mmCIF file of all heavy atoms in Angstrom:
data_model
loop_
_atom_site.group_PDB
_atom_site.id
_atom_site.type_symbol
_atom_site.label_atom_id
_atom_site.label_comp_id
_atom_site.label_asym_id
_atom_site.label_seq_id
_atom_site.Cartn_x
_atom_site.Cartn_y
_atom_site.Cartn_z
ATOM 1 N N ASN W 68 -12.192 -17.886 -10.460
ATOM 2 C CA ASN W 68 -11.658 -18.426 -9.216
ATOM 3 C C ASN W 68 -10.451 -19.296 -9.567
ATOM 4 O O ASN W 68 -10.606 -20.405 -10.059
ATOM 5 C CB ASN W 68 -12.709 -19.249 -8.472
ATOM 6 C CG ASN W 68 -12.164 -19.812 -7.167
ATOM 7 O OD1 ASN W 68 -11.023 -19.565 -6.783
ATOM 8 N ND2 ASN W 68 -12.990 -20.575 -6.472
ATOM 9 N N LEU W 69 -9.258 -18.755 -9.312
ATOM 10 C CA LEU W 69 -8.008 -19.464 -9.552
ATOM 11 C C LEU W 69 -7.269 -19.668 -8.234
ATOM 12 O O LEU W 69 -6.054 -19.815 -8.207
ATOM 13 C CB LEU W 69 -7.141 -18.668 -10.537
ATOM 14 C CG LEU W 69 -7.672 -18.618 -11.966
ATOM 15 C CD1 LEU W 69 -7.148 -17.396 -12.700
ATOM 16 C CD2 LEU W 69 -7.318 -19.881 -12.711
ATOM 17 N N SER W 70 -8.016 -19.686 -7.135
ATOM 18 C CA SER W 70 -7.383 -19.842 -5.825
ATOM 19 C C SER W 70 -6.617 -21.163 -5.770
ATOM 20 O O SER W 70 -7.082 -22.180 -6.271
ATOM 21 C CB SER W 70 -8.423 -19.769 -4.711
ATOM 22 O OG SER W 70 -9.400 -20.774 -4.858
ATOM 23 N N TYR W 71 -5.439 -21.088 -5.206
ATOM 24 C CA TYR W 71 -4.542 -22.235 -5.022
ATOM 25 C C TYR W 71 -4.178 -22.936 -6.331
ATOM 26 O O TYR W 71 -3.781 -24.095 -6.323
ATOM 27 C CB TYR W 71 -5.115 -23.217 -3.991
ATOM 28 C CG TYR W 71 -5.363 -22.516 -2.678
ATOM 29 C CD1 TYR W 71 -6.646 -22.097 -2.333
ATOM 30 C CD2 TYR W 71 -4.317 -22.230 -1.821
ATOM 31 C CE1 TYR W 71 -6.876 -21.411 -1.146
ATOM 32 C CE2 TYR W 71 -4.534 -21.537 -0.635
ATOM 33 C CZ TYR W 71 -5.810 -21.144 -0.307
ATOM 34 O OH TYR W 71 -6.035 -20.446 0.852
ATOM 35 N N SER W 72 -4.294 -22.242 -7.437
ATOM 36 C CA SER W 72 -3.888 -22.803 -8.726
ATOM 37 C C SER W 72 -2.391 -22.627 -8.916
ATOM 38 O O SER W 72 -1.773 -21.738 -8.338
ATOM 39 C CB SER W 72 -4.627 -22.114 -9.874
ATOM 40 O OG SER W 72 -5.992 -22.457 -9.837
ATOM 41 N N ASN W 73 -1.805 -23.469 -9.748
ATOM 42 C CA ASN W 73 -0.387 -23.379 -10.054
ATOM 43 C C ASN W 73 -0.237 -22.817 -11.462
ATOM 44 O O ASN W 73 -0.508 -23.518 -12.444
ATOM 45 C CB ASN W 73 0.287 -24.742 -9.937
ATOM 46 C CG ASN W 73 1.788 -24.648 -10.083
ATOM 47 O OD1 ASN W 73 2.340 -23.626 -10.478
ATOM 48 N ND2 ASN W 73 2.473 -25.734 -9.767
ATOM 49 N N LEU W 74 0.159 -21.544 -11.536
ATOM 50 C CA LEU W 74 0.356 -20.855 -12.808
ATOM 51 C C LEU W 74 1.832 -20.498 -12.985
ATOM 52 O O LEU W 74 2.186 -19.511 -13.628
ATOM 53 C CB LEU W 74 -0.500 -19.584 -12.844
ATOM 54 C CG LEU W 74 -2.002 -19.828 -12.892
ATOM 55 C CD1 LEU W 74 -2.759 -18.860 -12.022
ATOM 56 C CD2 LEU W 74 -2.496 -19.770 -14.311
ATOM 57 N N GLN W 75 2.700 -21.308 -12.401
ATOM 58 C CA GLN W 75 4.130 -21.041 -12.449
ATOM 59 C C GLN W 75 4.600 -20.957 -13.896
ATOM 60 O O GLN W 75 4.326 -21.841 -14.711
ATOM 61 C CB GLN W 75 4.884 -22.150 -11.713
ATOM 62 C CG GLN W 75 6.347 -21.860 -11.529
ATOM 63 C CD GLN W 75 7.002 -22.905 -10.629
ATOM 64 O OE1 GLN W 75 6.397 -23.901 -10.251
ATOM 65 N NE2 GLN W 75 8.247 -22.663 -10.294
ATOM 66 N N GLY W 76 5.275 -19.844 -14.226
ATOM 67 C CA GLY W 76 5.809 -19.654 -15.568
ATOM 68 C C GLY W 76 4.774 -19.443 -16.649
ATOM 69 O O GLY W 76 5.102 -19.446 -17.833
ATOM 70 N N ALA W 77 3.520 -19.244 -16.275
ATOM 71 C CA ALA W 77 2.460 -19.037 -17.273
ATOM 72 C C ALA W 77 2.603 -17.668 -17.936
ATOM 73 O O ALA W 77 3.106 -16.721 -17.340
ATOM 74 C CB ALA W 77 1.088 -19.158 -16.622
ATOM 75 N N ASP W 78 2.176 -17.573 -19.181
ATOM 76 C CA ASP W 78 2.174 -16.313 -19.916
ATOM 77 C C ASP W 78 0.775 -15.711 -19.830
ATOM 78 O O ASP W 78 -0.156 -16.181 -20.482
ATOM 79 C CB ASP W 78 2.565 -16.551 -21.376
ATOM 80 C CG ASP W 78 2.638 -15.258 -22.188
ATOM 81 O OD1 ASP W 78 2.199 -14.194 -21.688
ATOM 82 O OD2 ASP W 78 3.134 -15.317 -23.327
ATOM 83 N N LEU W 79 0.651 -14.696 -18.980
ATOM 84 C CA LEU W 79 -0.617 -13.985 -18.787
ATOM 85 C C LEU W 79 -0.463 -12.539 -19.259
ATOM 86 O O LEU W 79 -1.111 -11.627 -18.759
ATOM 87 C CB LEU W 79 -1.021 -14.038 -17.308
ATOM 88 C CG LEU W 79 -1.429 -15.429 -16.812
ATOM 89 C CD1 LEU W 79 -1.092 -15.606 -15.347
ATOM 90 C CD2 LEU W 79 -2.901 -15.659 -17.051
ATOM 91 N N ASN W 80 0.394 -12.344 -20.219
ATOM 92 C CA ASN W 80 0.674 -11.025 -20.768
ATOM 93 C C ASN W 80 -0.616 -10.382 -21.276
ATOM 94 O O ASN W 80 -1.307 -10.935 -22.117
ATOM 95 C CB ASN W 80 1.676 -11.197 -21.917
ATOM 96 C CG ASN W 80 2.432 -9.944 -22.242
ATOM 97 O OD1 ASN W 80 2.448 -8.991 -21.481
ATOM 98 N ND2 ASN W 80 3.093 -9.961 -23.381
ATOM 99 N N GLY W 81 -0.975 -9.229 -20.698
ATOM 100 C CA GLY W 81 -2.168 -8.513 -21.133
ATOM 101 C C GLY W 81 -3.477 -9.169 -20.763
ATOM 102 O O GLY W 81 -4.537 -8.763 -21.249
ATOM 103 N N ALA W 82 -3.461 -10.174 -19.915
ATOM 104 C CA ALA W 82 -4.700 -10.861 -19.519
ATOM 105 C C ALA W 82 -5.542 -9.987 -18.597
ATOM 106 O O ALA W 82 -5.018 -9.153 -17.860
ATOM 107 C CB ALA W 82 -4.372 -12.173 -18.816
ATOM 108 N N ASP W 83 -6.843 -10.185 -18.635
ATOM 109 C CA ASP W 83 -7.769 -9.486 -17.745
ATOM 110 C C ASP W 83 -8.097 -10.402 -16.575
ATOM 111 O O ASP W 83 -8.812 -11.383 -16.727
ATOM 112 C CB ASP W 83 -9.048 -9.098 -18.484
ATOM 113 C CG ASP W 83 -10.027 -8.307 -17.622
ATOM 114 O OD1 ASP W 83 -9.769 -8.131 -16.406
ATOM 115 O OD2 ASP W 83 -11.053 -7.862 -18.161
ATOM 116 N N LEU W 84 -7.527 -10.068 -15.413
ATOM 117 C CA LEU W 84 -7.753 -10.825 -14.186
ATOM 118 C C LEU W 84 -8.441 -9.935 -13.154
ATOM 119 O O LEU W 84 -8.303 -10.147 -11.952
ATOM 120 C CB LEU W 84 -6.415 -11.342 -13.641
ATOM 121 C CG LEU W 84 -5.750 -12.420 -14.494
ATOM 122 C CD1 LEU W 84 -4.246 -12.310 -14.456
ATOM 123 C CD2 LEU W 84 -6.191 -13.789 -14.052
ATOM 124 N N SER W 85 -9.177 -8.952 -13.626
ATOM 125 C CA SER W 85 -9.843 -8.040 -12.697
ATOM 126 C C SER W 85 -10.838 -8.800 -11.829
ATOM 127 O O SER W 85 -11.571 -9.667 -12.311
ATOM 128 C CB SER W 85 -10.530 -6.892 -13.447
ATOM 129 O OG SER W 85 -11.408 -7.373 -14.427
ATOM 130 N N SER W 86 -10.803 -8.512 -10.538
ATOM 131 C CA SER W 86 -11.669 -9.135 -9.532
ATOM 132 C C SER W 86 -11.532 -10.654 -9.474
ATOM 133 O O SER W 86 -12.412 -11.345 -8.957
ATOM 134 C CB SER W 86 -13.134 -8.736 -9.741
ATOM 135 O OG SER W 86 -13.266 -7.335 -9.640
ATOM 136 N N ALA W 87 -10.441 -11.205 -9.995
ATOM 137 C CA ALA W 87 -10.208 -12.653 -9.930
ATOM 138 C C ALA W 87 -9.726 -13.042 -8.541
ATOM 139 O O ALA W 87 -9.108 -12.250 -7.838
ATOM 140 C CB ALA W 87 -9.176 -13.070 -10.974
ATOM 141 N N ASN W 88 -10.006 -14.277 -8.149
ATOM 142 C CA ASN W 88 -9.533 -14.811 -6.881
ATOM 143 C C ASN W 88 -8.303 -15.664 -7.160
ATOM 144 O O ASN W 88 -8.400 -16.752 -7.714
ATOM 145 C CB ASN W 88 -10.618 -15.653 -6.198
ATOM 146 C CG ASN W 88 -10.172 -16.197 -4.857
ATOM 147 O OD1 ASN W 88 -9.026 -16.054 -4.454
ATOM 148 N ND2 ASN W 88 -11.087 -16.835 -4.159
ATOM 149 N N LEU W 89 -7.127 -15.115 -6.771
ATOM 150 C CA LEU W 89 -5.855 -15.805 -6.936
ATOM 151 C C LEU W 89 -5.217 -16.046 -5.571
ATOM 152 O O LEU W 89 -4.007 -16.177 -5.451
ATOM 153 C CB LEU W 89 -4.926 -14.983 -7.836
ATOM 154 C CG LEU W 89 -5.361 -14.893 -9.296
ATOM 155 C CD1 LEU W 89 -4.928 -13.583 -9.921
ATOM 156 C CD2 LEU W 89 -4.821 -16.063 -10.088
ATOM 157 N N SER W 90 -6.042 -16.139 -4.537
ATOM 158 C CA SER W 90 -5.546 -16.363 -3.185
ATOM 159 C C SER W 90 -4.745 -17.661 -3.135
ATOM 160 O O SER W 90 -5.210 -18.702 -3.601
ATOM 161 C CB SER W 90 -6.699 -16.451 -2.185
ATOM 162 O OG SER W 90 -7.421 -15.245 -2.159
ATOM 163 N N GLY W 91 -3.536 -17.579 -2.599
ATOM 164 C CA GLY W 91 -2.703 -18.762 -2.451
ATOM 165 C C GLY W 91 -2.187 -19.357 -3.749
ATOM 166 O O GLY W 91 -1.603 -20.433 -3.741
ATOM 167 N N ALA W 92 -2.373 -18.674 -4.866
ATOM 168 C CA ALA W 92 -1.929 -19.198 -6.160
ATOM 169 C C ALA W 92 -0.413 -19.099 -6.303
ATOM 170 O O ALA W 92 0.229 -18.225 -5.725
ATOM 171 C CB ALA W 92 -2.606 -18.447 -7.298
ATOM 172 N N ASN W 93 0.157 -20.000 -7.097
ATOM 173 C CA ASN W 93 1.581 -19.965 -7.405
ATOM 174 C C ASN W 93 1.755 -19.349 -8.785
ATOM 175 O O ASN W 93 1.428 -19.974 -9.794
ATOM 176 C CB ASN W 93 2.183 -21.374 -7.370
ATOM 177 C CG ASN W 93 3.677 -21.360 -7.652
ATOM 178 O OD1 ASN W 93 4.288 -20.315 -7.836
ATOM 179 N ND2 ASN W 93 4.270 -22.544 -7.684
ATOM 180 N N LEU W 94 2.252 -18.104 -8.800
ATOM 181 C CA LEU W 94 2.505 -17.385 -10.043
ATOM 182 C C LEU W 94 3.997 -17.087 -10.195
ATOM 183 O O LEU W 94 4.393 -16.135 -10.856
ATOM 184 C CB LEU W 94 1.704 -16.077 -10.058
ATOM 185 C CG LEU W 94 0.198 -16.242 -10.161
ATOM 186 C CD1 LEU W 94 -0.539 -15.173 -9.399
ATOM 187 C CD2 LEU W 94 -0.239 -16.252 -11.613
ATOM 188 N N GLU W 95 4.816 -17.923 -9.567
ATOM 189 C CA GLU W 95 6.258 -17.694 -9.611
ATOM 190 C C GLU W 95 6.747 -17.705 -11.055
ATOM 191 O O GLU W 95 6.462 -18.615 -11.824
ATOM 192 C CB GLU W 95 7.006 -18.760 -8.807
ATOM 193 C CG GLU W 95 8.495 -18.498 -8.738
ATOM 194 C CD GLU W 95 9.217 -19.422 -7.776
ATOM 195 O OE1 GLU W 95 8.577 -20.309 -7.177
ATOM 196 O OE2 GLU W 95 10.430 -19.243 -7.620
ATOM 197 N N GLY W 96 7.473 -16.632 -11.421
ATOM 198 C CA GLY W 96 8.026 -16.531 -12.765
ATOM 199 C C GLY W 96 7.000 -16.305 -13.862
ATOM 200 O O GLY W 96 7.334 -16.355 -15.040
ATOM 201 N N ALA W 97 5.762 -16.052 -13.499
ATOM 202 C CA ALA W 97 4.713 -15.815 -14.501
ATOM 203 C C ALA W 97 4.925 -14.451 -15.171
ATOM 204 O O ALA W 97 5.482 -13.527 -14.581
ATOM 205 C CB ALA W 97 3.333 -15.867 -13.856
ATOM 206 N N ILE W 98 4.470 -14.346 -16.398
ATOM 207 C CA ILE W 98 4.566 -13.093 -17.146
ATOM 208 C C ILE W 98 3.187 -12.448 -17.133
ATOM 209 O O ILE W 98 2.240 -12.961 -17.720
ATOM 210 C CB ILE W 98 5.036 -13.347 -18.591
ATOM 211 C CG1 ILE W 98 6.407 -14.037 -18.590
ATOM 212 C CG2 ILE W 98 5.097 -12.036 -19.368
ATOM 213 C CD1 ILE W 98 6.802 -14.614 -19.936
ATOM 214 N N LEU W 99 3.107 -11.325 -16.425
ATOM 215 C CA LEU W 99 1.850 -10.598 -16.272
ATOM 216 C C LEU W 99 2.012 -9.153 -16.743
ATOM 217 O O LEU W 99 1.340 -8.255 -16.256
ATOM 218 C CB LEU W 99 1.405 -10.636 -14.807
ATOM 219 C CG LEU W 99 1.005 -12.012 -14.288
ATOM 220 C CD1 LEU W 99 1.500 -12.236 -12.880
ATOM 221 C CD2 LEU W 99 -0.491 -12.175 -14.348
ATOM 222 N N ASP W 100 2.915 -8.926 -17.686
ATOM 223 C CA ASP W 100 3.143 -7.574 -18.189
ATOM 224 C C ASP W 100 1.851 -7.020 -18.780
ATOM 225 O O ASP W 100 1.197 -7.671 -19.590
ATOM 226 C CB ASP W 100 4.246 -7.567 -19.249
ATOM 227 C CG ASP W 100 5.605 -7.940 -18.695
ATOM 228 O OD1 ASP W 100 5.875 -7.630 -17.523
ATOM 229 O OD2 ASP W 100 6.399 -8.542 -19.443
ATOM 230 N N GLY W 101 1.468 -5.833 -18.327
ATOM 231 C CA GLY W 101 0.263 -5.192 -18.833
ATOM 232 C C GLY W 101 -1.028 -5.861 -18.432
ATOM 233 O O GLY W 101 -2.094 -5.517 -18.939
ATOM 234 N N ALA W 102 -0.961 -6.823 -17.527
ATOM 235 C CA ALA W 102 -2.182 -7.520 -17.087
ATOM 236 C C ALA W 102 -3.042 -6.602 -16.233
ATOM 237 O O ALA W 102 -2.543 -5.709 -15.549
ATOM 238 C CB ALA W 102 -1.816 -8.776 -16.296
ATOM 239 N N ILE W 103 -4.340 -6.830 -16.277
ATOM 240 C CA ILE W 103 -5.288 -6.064 -15.478
ATOM 241 C C ILE W 103 -5.684 -6.921 -14.285
ATOM 242 O O ILE W 103 -6.321 -7.963 -14.442
ATOM 243 C CB ILE W 103 -6.529 -5.681 -16.308
ATOM 244 C CG1 ILE W 103 -6.108 -4.865 -17.531
ATOM 245 C CG2 ILE W 103 -7.526 -4.910 -15.451
ATOM 246 C CD1 ILE W 103 -7.199 -4.719 -18.573
ATOM 247 N N LEU W 104 -5.257 -6.476 -13.091
ATOM 248 C CA LEU W 104 -5.520 -7.205 -11.853
ATOM 249 C C LEU W 104 -6.254 -6.299 -10.866
ATOM 250 O O LEU W 104 -6.106 -6.444 -9.657
ATOM 251 C CB LEU W 104 -4.196 -7.701 -11.252
ATOM 252 C CG LEU W 104 -3.497 -8.774 -12.084
ATOM 253 C CD1 LEU W 104 -2.009 -8.578 -12.112
ATOM 254 C CD2 LEU W 104 -3.835 -10.147 -11.560
ATOM 255 N N GLU W 105 -7.032 -5.374 -11.375
ATOM 256 C CA GLU W 105 -7.758 -4.442 -10.516
ATOM 257 C C GLU W 105 -8.741 -5.195 -9.634
ATOM 258 O O GLU W 105 -9.528 -6.002 -10.115
ATOM 259 C CB GLU W 105 -8.485 -3.398 -11.360
ATOM 260 C CG GLU W 105 -7.529 -2.483 -12.099
ATOM 261 C CD GLU W 105 -8.239 -1.391 -12.878
ATOM 262 O OE1 GLU W 105 -9.219 -0.832 -12.348
ATOM 263 O OE2 GLU W 105 -7.803 -1.113 -14.004
ATOM 264 N N GLY W 106 -8.640 -4.956 -8.329
ATOM 265 C CA GLY W 106 -9.537 -5.592 -7.379
ATOM 266 C C GLY W 106 -9.321 -7.082 -7.213
ATOM 267 O O GLY W 106 -10.130 -7.768 -6.590
ATOM 268 N N ALA W 107 -8.219 -7.609 -7.748
ATOM 269 C CA ALA W 107 -7.932 -9.048 -7.638
ATOM 270 C C ALA W 107 -7.501 -9.406 -6.222
ATOM 271 O O ALA W 107 -6.894 -8.602 -5.522
ATOM 272 C CB ALA W 107 -6.851 -9.450 -8.631
ATOM 273 N N MET W 108 -7.826 -10.622 -5.814
ATOM 274 C CA MET W 108 -7.421 -11.140 -4.515
ATOM 275 C C MET W 108 -6.184 -12.007 -4.742
ATOM 276 O O MET W 108 -6.280 -13.091 -5.335
ATOM 277 C CB MET W 108 -8.546 -11.942 -3.878
ATOM 278 C CG MET W 108 -9.723 -11.070 -3.517
ATOM 279 S SD MET W 108 -11.184 -11.885 -2.767
ATOM 280 C CE MET W 108 -10.756 -13.568 -2.581
ATOM 281 N N LEU W 109 -5.034 -11.499 -4.275
ATOM 282 C CA LEU W 109 -3.762 -12.195 -4.431
ATOM 283 C C LEU W 109 -3.128 -12.437 -3.065
ATOM 284 O O LEU W 109 -1.919 -12.581 -2.958
ATOM 285 C CB LEU W 109 -2.823 -11.359 -5.307
ATOM 286 C CG LEU W 109 -3.217 -11.258 -6.777
ATOM 287 C CD1 LEU W 109 -2.835 -9.912 -7.365
ATOM 288 C CD2 LEU W 109 -2.584 -12.378 -7.569
ATOM 289 N N ASP W 110 -3.957 -12.490 -2.026
ATOM 290 C CA ASP W 110 -3.427 -12.678 -0.690
ATOM 291 C C ASP W 110 -2.724 -14.030 -0.597
ATOM 292 O O ASP W 110 -3.205 -15.035 -1.103
ATOM 293 C CB ASP W 110 -4.523 -12.549 0.376
ATOM 294 C CG ASP W 110 -5.729 -13.422 0.100
ATOM 295 O OD1 ASP W 110 -6.391 -13.222 -0.944
ATOM 296 O OD2 ASP W 110 -6.010 -14.300 0.912
ATOM 297 N N SER W 111 -1.541 -14.002 -0.007
ATOM 298 C CA SER W 111 -0.698 -15.189 0.176
ATOM 299 C C SER W 111 -0.286 -15.858 -1.137
ATOM 300 O O SER W 111 0.105 -17.020 -1.151
ATOM 301 C CB SER W 111 -1.369 -16.207 1.099
ATOM 302 O OG SER W 111 -1.638 -15.624 2.360
ATOM 303 N N ALA W 112 -0.366 -15.144 -2.240
ATOM 304 C CA ALA W 112 0.059 -15.688 -3.533
ATOM 305 C C ALA W 112 1.582 -15.616 -3.665
ATOM 306 O O ALA W 112 2.223 -14.743 -3.084
ATOM 307 C CB ALA W 112 -0.594 -14.920 -4.681
#
């Protein structure tokens, strides 16, 4: 559960975020190359 978290500019390269809750999270400029976000909740992120 990372809802409403601030991950601005974070390096999540290759991270497994499957089924994670990232609703309302700030991922501006984050690096998510090759990340697994299957079934993740990114509404309003």
Side-chain angles (χ1 to χ4, degrees):
N68 180 2
L69 291 156
S70 59
Y71 303 100
S72 291
N73 187 348
L74 292 140
Q75 189 172 7
D78 182 350
L79 291 149
N80 201 15
D83 183 355
L84 292 146
S85 54
S86 300
N88 181 354
L89 291 149
S90 298
N93 182 2
L94 291 146
E95 184 171 2
I98 301 167
L99 293 140
D100 294 328
I103 302 166
L104 293 140
E105 294 183 41
M108 293 179 3
L109 290 147
D110 52 298
S111 301

